[in-house]
Structure formats: structure tokens, C-alpha cells
Amino acid sequence: MRTALRPLHTIVLGPAPRPPRRFIPRICSRRHSWHIHSKSCSHSHHDHDNNSSSTTTPLPSPSQTRYAPSSEAVASTRNYLSNLLRTHDHASYILTPFIPPSARDAYLAIKSFNLDTALVADQTSNVAVGRLRMKFWRDAIEAVFKGDGRDAVRYKEPTIVLLANVLVGGSAGGQVPRLNKGWFLRNIAARESLLTLSPFPSLAALETYSENTYSSLYYLLLESLHIHSTTLDHIAGHLGKATGITAILRGVPLTAFPPPPPISPAPSPFTQPNQGAVLLPLDILSSHSLSQESLLRLGPTAPNLKDVIFEIATRANDHLLTARRMIKDAQEKGELSKGGKGDWGLFLGALPTRNFLGRLEEADFDVFDARLARRDWRLVFQAYWAYRKGKF
């Protein structure tokens, strides 16, 4: 069990020894109440639907039959994407059984899509090639949502094949979810903006990126279960921001000190050497007098690095606490099940985020601590307990 949490003003900077940093138990932002912040951070999922109704999937009419992949192709694709998650996103793979069968194909397609766009930066040699890959995904999403979706066949992408099956109602239950194309495009645009490896100008910009990437996934998962609730949208917004901020913190060692590229017998003249980058918000770095050059040169021994990580991680923890409070209120009002049902299973994605922040706190916010890179073997047991109890 963690020790008592300490208020922020008791942390003493300087050469003198100090006690370990601890998260502050507070709800959401420092300047606003959790009511106000929860309404402002998600940009209202339903407002976006009203302003861009053309991006939602129309229900098929008798005169228009959407393209449906063959059952053999769907089964093969489902197996491939499941293995893909098990290799590159083990936490999402572990949480798959807690998703209702009617939305499980949508879950695999959405999570695999996010993984595909996230891996573009790692699998391309320069920014120009990365933008071409992002254009491929943008065109593929446009094709699968356009008309009867038959144009998507030519992309031969497993994620698109399974998504086409979801949009035709080929999953268990046979109902057609009204997925919003705009959330897919937001994810692509946000991932593309990070190809240049430029730091975020502010912590607010990092939150915006996190919402466009990870909150969008939660919105799509809610739509896959035909759930349209402003309260649950706000919860999804907070969880997505916490997840996105945590993902950036988790990636600090890899972006600052990337591994050497694989040796190629005929290297391309357009291939750029792997150079370290710092994505952490510039306003937080500046407030703690930490330069990007110092971090790239000194790594974990850079001065005030732990204070920078602490402040950014605290914002992620704020969003997690706010989501937990809102989940409890929603359960008391009957807007969300108290455990053992599918709508609650969608929010179990917060468990890996909570676990990482907890381990980061135990490591005194040393983001380079090797223990943070280990796979969390407790997740499967924690997920089962949280699913049954309806809390995390």
C-alpha cells in the first residue's frame, strides 16, 4: 500500500535530501472544479456527431447493400489481428475477453487501427515516407466508409477487412454500429503531427494530442455498443487523456535514445539516422530549467528530470481520479453497470495506465527505471477483479 500522499508545496528542490514524490489526491485540473473540467476536455462527443453527421455510418437501405467480406477472410483476419495485439499491445489483448461478443470485432479493428498508425513512426525511415503511410490509412478509412465500402477491398489490409465486416453488421448480434469516421481521421491527423518528433509546446497541447488519439478510441468503442451518453463520453475523454499522457512518458527512453536501425545490405540515401528527440512539453521543461540538450546528453541523470516527469504524471493522475469519480457517480445513477456487464468492460483500459503511474511513483518518477519496461503479469487478475466489482 502506498504511503500517505504529500501536498505539492512540501516538495523541496535543491541539493538537500528529500522524501520521495507522491501524487496529490485531487480531482482533475488545478484551476477548475471537476464539473467544469470534465465538460471542457472532451469537446462533447455528441456535438461532434451533430456537426459532422456525414462522417457517421448510415444504416444500409434495401437498395444499397454494403460490401461484406467472406467468412473465411473474416476468421483469418480476426486471428491475425488478435496475434498482432498479443505481440505489440499485450494489455489490449488481455482485456479482449471482457468486451461483449457483439463488439469484439469492432474492438479488435479499433485497437489494431490505433496500433497500425502508432507504428508508422517506428517503421518508416523519414517523415515523407511516414506521411505517405498516413495518407494510405486516411484513404483506406475513407474508402471503407464510402458508399457500400467495396472500394476498401483493394487495400487488402486486415484492419480494414474486419472494419468492413463490422460496418455491415457481420459481428455477433448482427447490429450495425454507427461508427463515426471522424474519430478515425482525428487519430490519423494526431499521429501524423508527431512524425517530426517535435516537442509539445505545452501540457495543454499534449492533452489535446491524447484526446485526439486515445479518447477517440474510447468514443468509437462506446459507439460499437450503441451507447450515446454525455456522461460516459466525458469519462472516456478523461481516460483517453490519461492514457495518452502516460504513453508519452512511457516512451521517453525510446525517443531520447532510440535503438540503432537494422543493418541493411543496401541502405537508402534517403534514410535518416536515428537521432534522439524529446517530446515532453516545453513549458514544463522551462519551468524546471531543464533543456532538451541536457536530457539527450545526460539521460536519467539530467537535473530536475524527475520533477518534470512528476508534474506531467500528476496531470495524467488528475484525469484518472476524475474519471474514477465520474464512474462512481454514473453507477449510482444507473448510467453505467456496477460490474459484470459489457459497458463496464470498455473502461478497463484504464488499468494499464493506473498500473504504470503507480509503478512510476514507486520508482520516484525515474522514467528510465528498467522495471517500468517489464510486462505487468498482474493485469489479468486485476482485470477480472475490476470487471466483477465494477471499479478499479
Side-chain angles (χ1 to χ4, degrees):
M1 182 178 297
R2 299 183 194 171
T3 58
L5 302 178
R6 296 172 50 81
L8 189 61
H9 66 271
T10 61
I11 297 176
V12 182
L13 300 179
R18 59 179 163 190
R21 304 162 183 79
R22 290 291 182 263
F23 283 127
I24 306 167
R26 93 195 128 188
I27 301 298
C28 217
S29 68
R30 298 161 176 73
R31 299 184 180 88
H32 304 284
S33 69
W34 72 272
H35 300 281
I36 298 175
H37 185 72
S38 65
K39 292 180 181 179
S40 64
C41 73
S42 295
H43 300 298
S44 186
H45 175 40
H46 293 292
D47 291 343
H48 182 85
D49 285 344
N50 295 334
N51 295 335
S52 58
S53 59
S54 61
T55 61
T56 56
T57 306
L59 294 176
S61 62
S63 60
Q64 179 182 1
T65 302
R66 288 192 59 86
Y67 162 74
S70 66
S71 57
E72 294 80 6
V74 171
S76 175
T77 298
R78 189 182 292 126
N79 183 64
Y80 172 83
L81 295 181
S82 180
N83 290 330
L84 183 69
L85 288 184
R86 181 169 57 183
T87 303
H88 297 285
D89 188 1
H90 192 258
S92 295
Y93 172 78
I94 289 294
L95 298 176
T96 303
F98 302 101
I99 304 298
S102 61
R104 203 162 291 168
D105 278 356
Y107 177 85
L108 283 177
I110 292 168
K111 287 292 186 176
S112 299
F113 163 80
N114 177 64
L115 182 59
D116 286 327
T117 57
L119 290 176
V120 167
D122 298 329
Q123 297 174 343
T124 54
S125 57
N126 55 54
V127 176
V129 176
R131 286 173 176 163
L132 287 176
R133 288 294 299 170
M134 291 300 184
K135 184 179 184 303
F136 167 87
W137 281 108
R138 189 177 291 108
D139 293 344
I141 291 297
E142 292 283 0
V144 78
F145 278 92
K146 180 181 179 181
D148 62 359
R150 194 170 298 275
D151 291 344
V153 180
R154 58 189 174 93
Y155 288 92
K156 298 180 181 179
E157 183 64 41
T159 300
I160 298 301
V161 172
L162 192 59
L163 182 58
N165 184 64
V166 170
L167 295 178
V168 80
S171 303
Q175 294 183 332
V176 181
R178 299 181 65 88
L179 299 183
N180 195 317
K181 180 181 67 176
W183 302 128
F184 289 99
L185 298 181
R186 277 192 178 193
N187 182 285
I188 295 172
R191 296 290 190 190
E192 185 174 8
S193 69
L194 213 61
L195 290 176
T196 58
L197 296 179
S198 300
F200 295 98
S202 64
L203 187 53
L206 173 55
E207 289 181 297
T208 300
Y209 166 83
S210 301
E211 181 180 11
N212 289 337
T213 50
Y214 292 95
S215 296
S216 296
L217 304 182
Y218 277 108
Y219 299 150
L220 287 168
L221 292 174
L222 287 172
E223 290 176 342
S224 71
L225 281 176
H226 310 275
I227 296 176
H228 300 279
S229 166
T230 302
T231 300
L232 299 189
D233 288 344
H234 286 164
I235 294 173
H238 284 294
L239 292 181
K241 287 185 176 182
T243 303
I245 294 173
T246 302
I248 293 297
L249 292 178
R250 189 194 302 268
V252 167
L254 290 178
T255 55
F257 301 96
I263 300 177
S264 174
S268 170
F270 302 101
T271 301
Q272 298 175 348
N274 283 9
Q275 297 179 347
V278 178
L279 302 180
L280 300 176
L282 294 177
D283 61 340
I284 306 300
L285 292 174
S286 176
S287 66
H288 292 281
S289 302
L290 175 61
S291 65
Q292 301 179 61
E293 292 77 11
S294 296
L295 177 54
L296 294 175
R297 185 175 68 255
L298 302 176
T301 61
N304 301 328
L305 174 60
K306 290 184 178 181
D307 297 306
V308 170
I309 299 300
F310 169 72
E311 184 169 350
I312 298 173
T314 298
R315 182 62 63 88
N317 195 57
D318 288 348
H319 287 294
L320 203 59
L321 291 175
T322 303
R324 184 180 297 172
R325 170 70 176 274
M326 296 184 70
I327 285 173
K328 183 178 179 181
D329 293 342
Q331 289 174 332
E332 292 176 353
K333 296 177 182 179
E335 299 180 51
L336 182 65
S337 68
K338 295 185 177 181
K341 294 184 179 179
D343 56 349
W344 166 242
L346 295 181
F347 295 120
L348 293 183
L351 288 176
T353 300
R354 183 205 65 179
N355 290 350
F356 179 83
L357 291 176
R359 287 184 291 154
L360 183 62
E361 185 179 25
E362 293 173 357
D364 193 25
F365 298 90
D366 179 7
V367 76
F368 286 89
D369 193 307
R371 293 172 295 178
L372 299 177
R374 297 174 184 170
R375 181 172 292 178
D376 191 357
W377 60 269
R378 303 170 299 173
L379 179 60
V380 62
F381 304 103
Q382 294 172 337
Y384 177 78
W385 183 89
Y387 182 74
R388 299 299 301 175
K389 298 294 183 180
K391 61 181 180 181
F392 59 86

